[in-house]
Amino acid sequence: MVSLARKTLIHEWRRFLPATLAVGFSTLLQLLQAALVLGIFGGAAVYINDSSADIWIGYPGTQAIDLGRAIDGDVASLLDMNHEVTRVEPFYLLDGDWRGGHGTGGVSVYISGISTQPGGMMFARVLTPVLRAKLTYPESVIVDPADLTKLGVKVGGTAAINGHLVRVVATAPGLRALGGVDILASLQTARLLDSSAGEAGGPTYLVARLRHPANAGRVVADLNGHTGFGRYHAWTAPQFARRSVLFWLFNTGAGAGVLFLAVVVFAVGAIITSQALVAAVAASVNEYATLNALGVGRRQLRWVVLEQAFWVGACGVILASVLAGLLIWLAQSENVPVAVSVPVLSACLVLVMVLVGISGLMAMRTLRRADPATLLR
Amino acid sequence: MPELVPPLPSSATLVAQNIAKSFASGRLTTPVLSNLSVSIDAGELTLISGPSGCGKSTLLSILSGLQTPDAGHVMALSESLQTMDSHRREAFRLHHTGFVFQGFNLFPALTAREQVRLPLQYLDLSSQEIDRRTDESLEEVGIAHRHHLRPAELSGGEKQRVAIARALAKLPALLFADEPTSALDAASGQVIIDLLHRIARAHGTTVLCVSHDPRLISHADRVLTMEDGRILNDSRQLTPHRPQDRRASC
């Protein structure tokens, strides 16, 4: 079987190189952008993703985790009554004003008040049991090592939050949040640092572990069906993480910027690719016309152009995937916030192939010029 | 190629009746063919000659189904080309017609063998049959030893022979050639016209050739002389210059 598309692509590779590179760079930009978006906006859900809780209880209508309000602590008794629930922890998420000295002025921070009991759910993926135990000392806090400079403090150093003295007892990588600095403290320390203490008094969230995590959806529905325990709403951990990320992505303007850039990258890729394919078809228009004169239908000729587009796309995508893999690895090793999600990256690749298909369809129009009657002089 | 068949008895395979064609350019309409009737027989090489602009290429494109006339009818192999839609006409061309153009029109990326195989892939043939027809066509036009070369590595005469092999491999009943020797030197042109003549005789193919090259007249079985969209003279040569017995080489 002679594949005209493939043979032409190999023989005239210089002609197709701009299109392949255009597809490649479009793909690379999309993949890196997706990885950065996942990495940066994933920070909005760092509290959820770094914890091992299956269920989150918060104030009704909370749009993102950092926008939580205090809830009634009595909801804990409702959780205790549920047979699926094996463990419940309160979680305080408070605003704070950090004064670290060394000319850093004031820094807005989020204070996370978490359980220091062994096996605690909050930040279970970041804190080792030893680190968690260190928080039991009053006024102890843990920060991300990357935030030390910003906070103007070193491990073992002291600073003030909301006018109260705290001591940095350790660092834990993976705490960097979107839009602020995360400070981990014990529940007791957090309550001490709470500038609005006495207003509501309850935790910002309650988190729970289930006997069978797969039943989280059913348990959440069950919890949300109760009344009489104050104002609260329950989410599964993935639901709440998604809610937080989407809020940051679409309601802050940053998401709109990212989407706009994606559209521009796609448009540029599509234009360059289609122009290269159009030029390739135009260069062989007499040969296509001859095939049509010999009875090869226009539909079959269009398939040749589409096949050409497909191979251009496949080469570009493979090239970009290899480069993206290398760059993401490099970014991760340099603490740049990037994250890989197979469904999202697959969607990027599918979108690129759709772009290539559209370019092929645009190039097909050139085949109209392949009229065999024009070959007769 | 398949076994040689004796020339068919004189029978018209292409018949045009009262065809007319004109082209419009802005408000100006230029008649190219007017009330032209002609019938072309199988098994011989018919040459349409005449000066540039006399309408010979337009007549070829109408007789081959590449264009439709403004008036009149064309019957090809007893089928009316006018009643076919474009898909049917493509299918008709696929199964029954071959074309050879002045400009060769070979794909730069394909070897001679692949150029010949390509159109055969669109016929429902087994790969063995495609291979057999490809080899026999290349052999018949005398280019089998150059089958692995791309157009850039072939001379003009060799390219035209590959183009003829591409048309011939489909075993067409009708073979149309438009100025097949115009881009070639005298020796190569001689080889090409001999080849077309031999194909008509050996396969019983209706070969219709358009050319203003006077050297070809002596090689044709029949010469139609055109001027101003009309056939002025229709002469049959009883002893045209016989195709040379040797295989083509140039």
Side-chain angles (χ1 to χ4, degrees), chain A residues 2-215:
Chain A
V2 179
S3 167
L4 179 60
R6 244 178 311 146
K7 290 267 179 187
T8 304
L9 205 66
I10 294 167
H11 185 71
E12 299 175 33
W13 62 271
R14 283 182 188 84
R15 183 190 294 285
F16 293 97
L17 189 62
T20 309
L21 291 179
V23 173
F25 279 108
S26 291
T27 313
L28 185 63
L29 284 173
Q30 297 297 338
L31 291 177
L32 290 183
Q33 195 170 267
L36 278 169
V37 165
L38 289 172
I40 293 169
F41 289 92
V46 69
Y47 311 92
I48 306 164
N49 294 332
D50 284 351
S51 304
S52 60
D54 298 313
I55 282 180
W56 283 69
I57 314 282
Y59 198 81
T62 302
Q63 298 187 76
I65 189 162
D66 51 304
L67 302 176
R69 286 177 57 182
I71 56 171
D72 193 333
D74 291 347
V75 185
S77 54
L78 176 66
L79 288 165
D80 288 337
M81 286 191 291
N82 194 308
H83 296 302
E84 275 284 345
V85 176
T86 58
R87 182 173 180 143
V88 180
E89 278 177 27
F91 171 50
Y92 285 78
L93 186 59
L94 314 165
D95 293 329
D97 177 37
W98 174 284
R99 300 292 165 98
H102 301 293
T104 52
V107 180
S108 290
V109 296
Y110 293 118
I111 306 154
S112 293
I114 61 170
S115 167
T116 53
Q117 296 294 312
M121 289 177 275
M122 285 308 300
F123 296 99
R125 298 192 175 97
V126 177
L127 293 181
T128 59
V130 175
L131 282 181
R132 189 181 294 274
K134 283 190 175 181
L135 289 177
T136 51
Y137 296 106
E139 297 164 351
S140 298
V141 296
I142 291 177
V143 300
D144 190 290
D147 288 330
L148 284 174
T149 313
K150 196 196 294 182
L151 295 172
V153 72
K154 290 178 180 168
V155 175
T158 56
I161 299 178
N162 296 341
H164 298 277
L165 186 76
V166 292
R167 180 182 301 276
V168 178
V169 293
T171 58
L175 292 176
R176 295 184 93 176
L178 194 64
V181 176
D182 272 329
I183 308 287
L184 298 194
S186 67
L187 290 166
Q188 292 73 16
T189 305
R191 274 200 286 263
L192 183 73
L193 299 175
D194 188 359
S195 57
S196 61
E199 282 178 20
T204 323
Y205 297 97
L206 283 168
V207 297
R209 181 176 292 151
L210 300 184
R211 205 178 305 278
H212 304 103
N215 293 336

